[in-house]
Amino acid sequence: MTEQTHSFDSPKALVSDLVTAARHAQKTLGQSPHDARRSALLKSAALIRSNSDAIIATNSKDVQKATENGISAAFIDRLTLNAERVESMAAGLESIAALDDPIGRELARWQQPNGLDIARVATPLGIIGIIYESRPNVTVDAAALCLISGNAAILRGGSDSYFTSGMLARLMVEGLESANLPAANVQMMPSADRALVGAMLAAAGEIDVIIPRGGRSLVERVQSEARVPVFAHLEGICHVYIDSDADFDMARQIIVNAKMRRTGICGAAETLLVHRDVAGTMLPDIATALTQAGCALRGDAAACALVDTMTPAIEADWRTEYLDSILSVKIVASVDDAIAHISTYGSGHTESIITGNTDTAEHFLARIDSAIVMVNASTQFADGGEFGMGAEIGIATGRLHARGPVGAAQLTSFKYVVRGHGNTRP
């Protein structure tokens, strides 16, 4: 299979060419049998497994370049692929292939007194543009979720993962071709030129929705410039609140996992809130566990008084998505104080309460208006795969159309199907 090449004289013309090819391809994909789309995903999974060594070798070039450029350790972690992560991509494709068909689902159906039978039926969104940075696995997840939901994907990866993402996109295209589905349903921008991002954002009436995956600067640009609808979250400032009725061992295990399992993902905890009634007994030991795991702590005055190795926090810490081994810590007087702090500083992503009190848990769930709210669970579960959705393109923190993990079902719209019996309107 050969790569497509395009002229770069006009970013707008290039995007228009890709969209034209995608529009024709998507019509075929959107009407294709579920088995054909499943077959394409399973073939791509097999290709990723069989090319694992080549994928890792290609990825090492991206990693080496990023390292030479002085990129942070958390960024390098998001960029790096190993055998386990390659296998995870292949397994993710198989889990998406095992999903029920997102297209044609009957979302609701009712009959009117005049005899009209009305159904709301799921349909593809159309052409989805995905703009992302360091994570090459986004190439596979995004292409696969678009494919199974009948959408064409136009992918614009970052320069740091350019070679890896390009290779993965070609394997996804090969899967499409094996199922006799048009290759143009998965297209990778042939350059990491930033001008192409602007052209995508301006493609109103061509690209149906944009999904950004990356840091604050990327998402802010997308949200400020886009003339195309956007599914996005700006930051993942996630909180864990340890209530006065929390179990100590559970609290310690959850917060260490929520912060340190993978610090560079958007579901990593960034702030720990602790009820003052248990702070004296719980926080020193929890701080020790976090410190031993390599986490630096920044606390308010009350927290610093309990843990002498903690650095005093400043106002900016409560608003910071560290994506690193750093955690801000605050002592609060009540669950309502915790809720008030989250409402002030949170980004609407994921919050978790640790408590043995059902009433307190329900109070927290009802009053926290984030996309994901948890009880006695690590915020690292904020993931479409962990929700049984197969995979996700990202977490949406807006309130229109998609919220929380954006999986295959969230990449559909709907139409109304009306069946009559010669009905005319008086």
Side-chain angles (χ1 to χ4, degrees):
M1 183 179 63
T2 59
E3 295 180 58
Q4 291 180 308
T5 58
H6 300 271
S7 169
F8 301 104
D9 293 341
S10 169
K12 180 179 179 181
L14 173 58
V15 169
S16 184
D17 287 346
L18 296 179
V19 168
T20 298
R23 189 68 67 187
H24 291 296
Q26 190 275 325
K27 289 180 180 178
T28 299
L29 183 69
Q31 297 172 10
S32 65
H34 187 210
D35 283 347
R37 285 172 274 129
R38 291 185 66 253
S39 175
L41 292 177
L42 294 174
K43 177 64 175 179
S44 294
L47 288 167
I48 286 173
R49 284 200 178 94
S50 64
N51 286 277
S52 179
D53 290 344
I55 292 168
I56 293 169
T58 299
N59 179 250
S60 68
K61 299 176 184 178
D62 286 326
V63 172
Q64 181 179 351
K65 180 181 176 182
T67 303
E68 291 170 352
N69 290 336
I71 302 299
S72 71
F75 188 100
I76 295 293
D77 175 63
R78 295 195 294 275
L79 172 62
T80 302
L81 294 180
N82 53 30
E84 181 181 359
R85 291 183 181 180
V86 171
E87 170 57 29
S88 179
M89 286 192 292
L93 287 176
E94 292 171 337
S95 67
I96 293 171
L99 295 173
D100 292 337
D101 193 352
I103 307 173
R105 291 173 297 130
E106 194 170 87
L107 305 174
R109 189 168 186 171
W110 64 97
Q111 287 74 41
Q112 289 292 90
N114 60 10
L116 290 179
D117 182 281
I118 303 173
R120 186 185 303 127
V121 178
T123 59
L125 288 172
I127 298 176
I128 300 177
I130 300 97
I131 302 171
Y132 55 106
E133 293 180 333
S134 60
R135 283 198 183 105
N137 65 290
V138 174
T139 304
V140 173
D141 290 346
L145 288 168
C146 287
L147 194 162
I148 199 66
S149 56
N151 297 291
I154 296 179
L155 307 168
R156 192 280 186 185
S159 58
D160 297 291
S161 61
Y162 183 74
F163 294 109
T164 312
S165 295
M167 181 178 185
L168 293 171
R170 292 193 293 275
L171 295 177
M172 295 300 298
V173 168
E174 194 169 335
L176 278 165
E177 293 175 330
S178 74
N180 295 315
L181 294 170
N185 279 298
V186 174
Q187 298 181 85
M188 173 68 71
M189 282 287 180
S191 169
D193 191 330
R194 289 177 178 268
L196 293 173
V197 173
M200 290 178 70
L201 298 179
E206 295 185 292
I207 295 176
D208 294 297
V209 66
I210 293 282
I211 302 177
R213 285 287 302 269
R216 183 183 183 93
S217 61
L218 169 65
V219 179
E220 282 185 333
R221 179 186 178 188
V222 170
Q223 291 180 326
S224 65
E225 294 183 19
R227 296 177 58 200
V228 177
V230 174
F231 297 165
H233 76 266
L234 188 59
E235 291 176 305
I237 303 177
C238 304
H239 298 77
V240 175
Y241 165 58
I242 300 176
D243 184 51
S244 58
D245 293 312
D247 176 83
F248 169 66
D249 289 333
M250 179 189 292
R252 180 180 57 199
Q253 291 170 11
I254 287 176
I255 188 57
V256 171
N257 181 267
K259 175 71 258 186
M260 298 302 295
R261 174 186 165 272
R262 289 190 68 183
T263 60
I265 66 172
C266 61
E270 304 292 14
T271 296
L272 172 64
L273 305 172
V274 186
H275 195 291
R276 66 185 178 190
D277 289 354
V278 296
T281 56
M282 290 191 183
L283 184 56
D285 285 342
I286 289 173
T288 297
L290 286 163
T291 301
Q292 290 175 346
C295 185
L297 302 175
R298 300 176 182 179
D300 68 351
C304 288
L306 294 171
V307 181
D308 57 13
T309 58
M310 195 176 290
T311 301
I314 61 175
E315 173 71 14
D317 285 309
W318 312 123
R319 303 184 185 278
T320 299
E321 182 184 27
Y322 300 110
L323 297 175
D324 204 349
S325 300
I326 304 169
L327 183 71
S328 56
V329 183
K330 183 176 183 179
I331 309 301
V332 295
S334 66
V335 63
D336 286 322
D337 278 356
I339 292 167
H341 180 95
I342 293 168
S343 298
T344 300
Y345 298 103
S347 60
H349 192 292
T350 300
E351 330 298 345
S352 181
I353 180 174
I354 306 171
T355 185
N357 188 311
T358 301
D359 290 340
T360 304
E362 293 302 318
H363 181 79
F364 187 86
L365 293 175
R367 284 161 176 77
I368 293 292
D369 187 25
S370 294
I372 303 169
V373 192
M374 300 178 169
V375 177
N376 296 332
S378 168
T379 57
Q380 298 257 343
F381 282 107
D383 177 271
E386 296 298 325
F387 280 26
M389 297 165 65
E392 65 177 40
I393 290 184
I395 304 288
T397 55
R399 290 174 173 81
L400 296 179
H401 187 78
R403 197 178 196 201
V406 179
Q410 287 70 42
L411 297 180
T412 61
S413 183
F414 56 81
K415 64 183 177 184
Y416 289 96
V417 176
V418 182
R419 297 177 175 89
H421 306 277
N423 299 64
T424 59
R425 185 170 178 178

